[in-house]
Amino acid sequence: MALQLGDPLPDFTCDSQVGEISFHEFLGSNWGLVISCPSDHLPVPTTEFGEASRLAEEFESRKVKVLGVNASSTDSHQGWVVDVKAATGQQIGFPILSDPDRLVTPLLGMSSGNPNTIRTCIFVSPAKKVAMSMSYPVTCGMNFHEIIRIIDSLQTTEKNGVSTPVNWVRGQDCMLDIDMNEEKFDNVQRIDVPSRKNYLRMVSPDA
């Protein structure tokens, strides 16, 4: 069953190539990014896990813990880590959970009748809830520029109580929701529209 936005994520323990992982303990008070693929030694996930490793400092600076998961064994993970390093030049520095019996992926809302469709990216809030999720067909690689942008948006909106407009990137102005009181914000910029409805209001991202 697919998880909905705001749903709590249960705790669990699972083996990985770096030892047993307790999900909630691993996350601590950080944000989380869980990326899944059907198994090791697949072409598209090899590039994705390499890119997630290349961006380790970007995730760390945002207090985001990265976690992979698929149905392969921990021994298989060890071999795949070597392949990812050879193919992408990146050493995987995050755990990859081993879920051969499909016990963990249902808890994360990642299971499907067709194992090839278990390709999901889940953004986890510090409250251990689903902040956002995206699912991909096996042929389409994840866009990590967008993943970083989403993390920036989620963290900015949670911290400042604002929204982010189309194509927003960190540092750009944000928006106020229609029911948001603007009194606590400085330098609110209103966008006039023919309807004269006061619903387009821009504020600094650090408001």
Side-chain angles (χ1 to χ4, degrees):
M1 179 178 178
L3 293 172
Q4 304 299 314
L5 295 182
D7 281 354
L9 289 167
D11 196 14
F12 57 81
T13 57
C14 187
D15 285 336
S16 78
Q17 88 282 11
V18 295
E20 188 175 78
I21 298 296
S22 174
F23 183 49
H24 284 187
E25 182 180 355
F26 172 77
L27 292 175
S29 60
N30 300 284
W31 288 77
L33 177 70
V34 185
I35 53 177
S36 70
C37 62
S39 64
D40 298 336
H41 306 287
L42 294 175
V44 175
T46 295
T47 63
E48 292 171 335
F49 280 57
E51 182 67 359
S53 301
R54 187 184 71 82
L55 295 171
E57 291 185 1
E58 296 290 336
F59 292 123
E60 184 176 358
S61 69
R62 291 165 171 81
K63 294 182 170 28
V64 176
K65 302 293 288 290
V66 179
L67 189 65
V69 58
N70 68 33
S72 297
S73 69
T74 55
D75 286 343
S76 176
H77 289 348
Q78 295 284 5
W80 190 36
V81 166
V82 176
D83 281 2
V84 171
K85 176 68 179 296
T88 69
Q90 302 299 322
Q91 180 69 39
I92 293 180
F94 55 86
I96 307 171
L97 302 181
S98 175
D99 188 32
D101 297 322
R102 302 295 201 278
L103 299 177
V104 168
T105 47
L107 299 177
L108 297 172
M110 292 175 163
S111 287
S112 167
N114 178 357
N116 285 334
T117 63
I118 305 175
R119 296 196 58 251
T120 304
C121 177
I122 296 179
F123 302 82
V124 185
S125 74
K128 314 294 190 300
K129 294 182 178 181
V130 178
M132 183 172 169
S133 66
M134 297 188 292
S135 295
Y136 300 78
V138 70
T139 53
C140 180
M142 299 176 184
N143 185 330
F144 276 81
H145 296 293
E146 175 65 359
I147 286 171
I148 292 292
R149 192 191 77 87
I150 289 169
I151 291 169
D152 287 340
S153 174
L154 291 171
Q155 293 182 342
T156 298
T157 56
E158 180 178 273
K159 177 183 177 182
N160 298 326
V162 294
S163 299
T164 55
V166 63
N167 297 331
W168 178 91
V169 294
R170 187 164 65 171
Q172 293 181 344
D173 284 349
C174 300
M175 307 184 83
L176 300 183
D177 283 338
I178 192 168
D179 58 351
M180 179 69 70
N181 189 325
E182 65 183 50
E183 290 182 358
K184 72 172 186 175
F185 298 95
D186 296 326
N187 301 319
V188 175
Q189 300 177 32
R190 297 175 181 80
I191 300 176
D192 294 329
V193 290
S195 67
R196 297 185 179 180
K197 296 182 182 293
N198 185 30
Y199 65 94
L200 293 176
R201 299 171 295 169
M202 308 298 295
V203 295
S204 164
D206 299 318

